[in-house]
């Protein structure tokens, strides 16, 4: 090697090492004192060992004024590049809080735009590790313009490549909108916060004293606002679960859902289900246990685990094939559909449909939640979101009626009338406009009021209604379910059904897009 070239290569390695250290041990220690990992520690946990390839690490901002021209660190506070997760390529950008608080200026934004464009062009997932102080105030409108470019690319890539946001520090103001536009938001308790206006502004405007955690912490967004789909106690667990999510989803909207060699026998009998689910429709049980019994190796990745708990949504595999599961949860609010449950399930159905993930819907629903709060809060509009999502979905769709399926909620939970490919039912199924007790009060009101013993008459007519219109074979006799199955055969039949629907081809209307009831 030419001696001068060797000297230059040595100098280059030294410069790259210093850029990676970004302020040395003192800066790293400050980050650790905040309870946070450094940007490269995070990337090492997220990506396969040694796979990260940084791009534009030498770039520096060109801004002047307010002393910026005297402080021009390499990387400009964001690390961008690509690597692999389980051997599959992903693109990533990660704010470096050690440099200018990870704040976004024009150059910082341009680096993010560049990696977002590459992810879209390559058809690979994009992951953002958010830990920044928001717009760089000294750069004014240039910073705001940079955010606009990120939002535009978020929307342009929506439904094209998976986009995952990980909130590992402050994500305030305009910065919060990018995670809200992506497919999945991960947060760490005590570390990540998202809000539009911080505690100081809230106090100045409303007089309210509030902490950053109470205003926009992980538990708030995981359990109350519904903005965060996944919440964890530490960064290591969080980033490991991002890797797990990647294992379920395809590279892009042109790729099939991942398939794996399945060591869990697809014909395994589900004997425990006969004891797990009570035949009495008024008794509760945990639908999560049903799901874990049916799927491969009880491996079910819940989405929104602590928000709208009356419905379960998540990813799993059956016979090695990735599936999305939507299920009413009788253990919480009897599995009723309400505003939040409808919104949660609708978003998940749209996600699965965008990325070719077959949908399995497990139904045990007493109806929509009644009440003035729900009606005034827009339950019709929000319920219509779920209805619209199912009607528009073109992936393979299988419905299983476990127990109750009453009223409009039966229709909305992927009934054949709105396009499910297969509808199955257990012998415990009850499909009707409403429950037998309520139906008897309406249909047989005169006879009940005229009876000497109204309670006995009500019970008699409720049973008559049940026997005539709600017996386990009624829907099968009318052709509204394709088969009534033994619960112990559920896993095997689902695996067979997914195989037969693998080649499904759906006709899409010639239109720009439908108008969802947002």
């Amino acid at each position: 090697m030419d001696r001068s070239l060797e000297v230059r290569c040595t100098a280059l390695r030294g410069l790259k090492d210093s850029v990676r250290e970004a302020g040395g041990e003192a800066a790293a220690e400050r980050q650790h004192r905040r309870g946070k990992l450094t940007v490269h520690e995070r990337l090492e946990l997220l990506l396969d060992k040694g796979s990260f390839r940084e791009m534009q690490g030498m770039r520096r901002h060109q801004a002047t004024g307010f002393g910026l021209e005297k402080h021009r660190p390499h990387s400009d506070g964001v690390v961008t590049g690509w690597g692999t997760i389980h051997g599959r390529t992903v693109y990533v950008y990660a704010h470096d809080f050690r440099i200018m608080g990870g704040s976004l200026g024009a150059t910082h934004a341009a680096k993010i735009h560049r990696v977002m464009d590459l992810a879209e062009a390559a058809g690979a997932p994009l992951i953002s590790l958010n830990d920044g102080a928001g717009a760089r105030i000294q750069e004014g409108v240039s910073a705001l313009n940079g955010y606009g470019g990120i939002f535009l690319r978020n929307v342009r890539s929506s439904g094209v490549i998976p986009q995952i946001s990980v909130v590992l520090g402050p994500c305030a103001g305009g910065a919060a909108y990018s995670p809200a536009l992506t497919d999945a938001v991960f947060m760490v308790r005590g570390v990540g916060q998202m809000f539009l206006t911080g505690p100081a502004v809230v106090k100045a405007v409303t007089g309210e004293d509030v902490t950053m955690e109470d205003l926009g912490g992980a538990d708030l967004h995981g359990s109350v606002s519904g903005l965060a789909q996944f919440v964890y106690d530490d960064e290591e667990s969080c980033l490991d679960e991002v890797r797990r999510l990647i294992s379920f989803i395809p590279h892009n909207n042109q790729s099939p859902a991942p398939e794996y060699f399945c060591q869990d026998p697809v014909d395994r009998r589900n004997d425990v289900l006969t004891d797990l689910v009570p035949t009495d429709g008024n008794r509760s049980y945990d639908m999560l246990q049903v799901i874990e019994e049916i799927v491969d190796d009880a491996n079910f990745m819940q989405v929104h685990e602590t928000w709208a708990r009356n419905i379960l949504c998540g990813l799993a595999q059956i016979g090695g094939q990735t599936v999305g599961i939507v299920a009413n949860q009788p253990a919480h609010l009897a599995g009723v559909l309400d505003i939040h449950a409808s919104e949660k399930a609708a978003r998940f159905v749209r996600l699965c449909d965008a990325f070719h993930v077959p949908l399995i819907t497990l139904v045990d629903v007493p109806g929509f939640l009644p009440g003035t709060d729900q009606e005034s809060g827009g339950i019709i509009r929000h319920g219509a979101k779920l209805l619209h999502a199912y009607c528009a979905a073109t992936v393979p769709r299988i419905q299983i009626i476990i127990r109750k399926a009453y009223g409009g909620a039966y229709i909305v939970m992927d009934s054949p009338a709105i396009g499910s490919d297969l509808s199955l039912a257990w012998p415990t199924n009850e499909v009707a406009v409403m429950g037998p007790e309520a139906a008897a009060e309406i249909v047989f009101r005169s006879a009940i009021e005229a009876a000497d013993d109204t309670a006995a008459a009500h019970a008699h007519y409720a049973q008559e209604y049940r026997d005539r219109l709600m017996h386990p074979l009624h829907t099968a006799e009318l052709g509204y379910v394709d088969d009534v199955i033994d619960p112990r055969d559920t896993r095997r039949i689902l695996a067979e059904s997914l195989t037969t629907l693998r080649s499904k081809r759906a006709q899409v209307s010639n239109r720009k897009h439908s108008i969802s009831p947002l």
Side-chain angles (χ1 to χ4, degrees):
M1 179 185 292
D2 183 278
R3 182 65 183 168
S4 62
L5 180 57
E6 183 178 356
V7 170
R8 293 186 184 190
C9 289
T10 300
L12 177 62
R13 286 195 298 272
L15 176 59
K16 287 188 174 182
D17 287 343
S18 68
V19 170
R20 179 185 172 94
E21 294 304 317
E25 293 183 4
E29 180 58 31
R30 285 194 297 272
Q31 186 77 343
H32 291 158
R33 283 200 300 269
R34 298 184 185 103
K36 301 191 290 186
L37 300 176
T38 65
V39 63
H40 290 286
E41 289 171 339
R42 290 166 173 168
L43 291 171
E44 287 167 3
L45 288 171
L46 175 67
L47 303 172
D48 295 340
K49 186 176 180 179
S51 69
F52 181 60
R53 181 72 171 89
E54 187 174 358
M55 54 187 290
Q56 296 200 342
M58 299 292 103
R59 194 160 180 178
R60 301 196 290 182
H61 74 74
Q62 307 300 312
T64 59
F66 305 102
L68 286 177
E69 65 276 7
K70 299 177 183 178
H71 183 50
R72 300 177 60 230
H74 292 287
S75 86
D76 202 42
V78 64
V79 177
T80 61
W82 68 87
T84 61
I85 293 178
H86 306 306
R88 298 169 58 199
T89 299
V90 298
Y91 287 80
V92 61
Y93 68 87
H95 299 124
D96 190 346
F97 199 83
R98 300 171 301 174
I99 297 177
M100 304 177 77
S103 61
L104 182 140
T107 297
H108 182 118
K111 290 181 64 176
I112 295 174
H113 297 168
R114 176 69 169 156
V115 77
M116 293 180 79
D117 290 342
L118 276 175
E120 183 182 3
L126 174 73
I127 303 172
S128 64
L129 305 184
N130 297 270
D131 183 10
R136 194 171 297 165
I137 299 172
Q138 300 94 320
E139 293 197 32
V141 70
S142 295
L144 299 179
N145 185 70
Y147 274 126
I150 294 173
F151 305 155
L152 175 66
R153 288 164 173 82
N154 284 140
V155 174
R156 194 174 67 199
S157 294
S158 181
V160 178
I161 57 172
Q163 299 179 81
I164 300 169
S165 299
V166 189
V167 181
L168 302 170
C171 189
Y177 279 116
S178 181
L181 290 168
T182 59
D183 303 315
V185 177
F186 289 72
M187 294 187 73
V188 176
R189 292 184 178 92
V191 171
Q193 301 95 27
M194 280 189 291
F195 41 73
L196 292 182
T197 53
V201 176
V202 171
K203 182 172 177 59
V205 174
T206 70
E208 181 183 6
D209 278 312
V210 64
T211 66
M212 290 178 65
E213 197 67 19
D214 290 338
L215 186 63
D219 285 323
L220 175 97
H221 289 308
S223 302
V224 182
S225 76
L227 181 57
Q229 285 89 349
F230 305 97
V231 174
Y232 300 97
D233 290 327
D234 56 77
E235 293 192 34
E236 292 84 356
S237 299
C238 180
L239 294 171
D240 191 53
E241 288 296 285
V242 175
R243 292 176 57 87
R244 183 184 176 201
L245 177 62
I246 289 292
S247 73
F248 283 110
I249 56 179
H251 237 47
N252 54 58
N253 67 336
Q254 299 300 310
S255 302
E259 294 187 36
Y260 301 91
F261 175 73
C262 178
Q263 293 182 319
D264 188 355
V266 294
D267 59 353
R268 171 172 53 81
R269 291 271 284 179
N270 306 124
D271 293 318
V272 301
L273 294 182
T274 56
D275 296 322
L276 182 61
V277 179
T279 56
D280 181 355
N282 294 320
R283 289 180 57 195
S284 178
Y285 65 95
D286 188 354
M287 182 68 83
L288 181 59
Q289 293 180 288
V290 175
I291 295 171
E292 290 178 340
E293 170 62 21
I294 292 170
V295 303
D296 294 353
D297 303 309
N299 181 19
F300 178 59
M301 187 172 191
Q302 265 202 78
V303 175
H304 286 303
E305 183 174 353
T306 58
W307 182 61
R309 292 167 54 206
N310 40 320
I311 200 159
L312 299 172
C313 299
L315 296 162
Q317 277 117 18
I318 294 180
Q321 182 176 355
T322 296
V323 295
I325 296 177
V326 178
N328 305 112
Q329 173 55 294
H332 189 78
L333 294 178
V336 71
L337 286 179
D338 61 5
I339 288 172
H340 288 162
S342 300
E343 194 166 21
K344 170 180 171 178
R347 180 179 173 85
F348 182 73
V349 168
R350 295 287 284 174
L351 175 69
C352 291
D353 187 51
F355 293 113
H356 303 289
V357 176
L359 283 161
I360 295 171
T361 305
L362 305 180
V363 184
D364 190 346
V365 61
F368 281 93
L369 182 65
T372 55
D373 288 345
Q374 289 290 306
E375 296 293 350
S376 61
I379 182 60
I380 297 173
R381 178 168 52 87
H382 290 283
K385 292 179 183 179
L386 180 54
L387 182 60
H388 187 280
Y390 269 125
C391 288
T394 60
V395 294
R397 292 154 52 187
I398 303 170
Q399 178 200 51
I400 300 184
I401 303 172
I402 305 294
R403 243 179 15 175
K404 300 185 297 295
Y406 294 162
Y410 154 70
I411 303 171
V412 170
M413 290 296 290
D414 204 19
S415 66
I418 64 170
S420 68
D421 298 295
L422 286 172
S423 179
L424 308 171
W426 285 7
T428 46
N429 78 86
E430 294 182 350
V431 183
V433 175
M434 61 183 65
E437 289 78 12
E441 290 181 3
I442 297 172
V443 177
F444 304 104
R445 176 179 297 174
S446 298
I448 292 172
E449 291 177 349
D452 294 332
D453 186 341
T454 56
H458 181 269
H460 168 77
Y461 288 117
Q463 188 60 46
E464 180 180 341
Y465 184 86
R466 186 190 300 273
D467 292 342
R468 292 179 59 186
L469 296 178
M470 296 175 63
H471 63 83
L473 299 181
H474 182 65
T475 48
E477 291 170 353
L478 295 175
Y480 295 135
V481 299
D482 296 299
D483 196 11
V484 179
I485 65 172
D486 186 326
R488 293 167 292 191
D489 295 329
T490 301
R491 173 174 166 80
R492 174 181 61 81
I493 292 173
L494 279 175
E496 293 172 353
S497 300
L498 288 166
T499 298
T500 198
L501 290 171
R502 190 187 302 270
S503 58
K504 176 184 176 181
R505 295 292 181 267
Q507 296 294 323
V508 180
S509 300
N510 182 22
R511 61 185 175 191
K512 186 174 182 181
H513 57 73
S514 60
I515 303 172
S516 179
L518 296 174

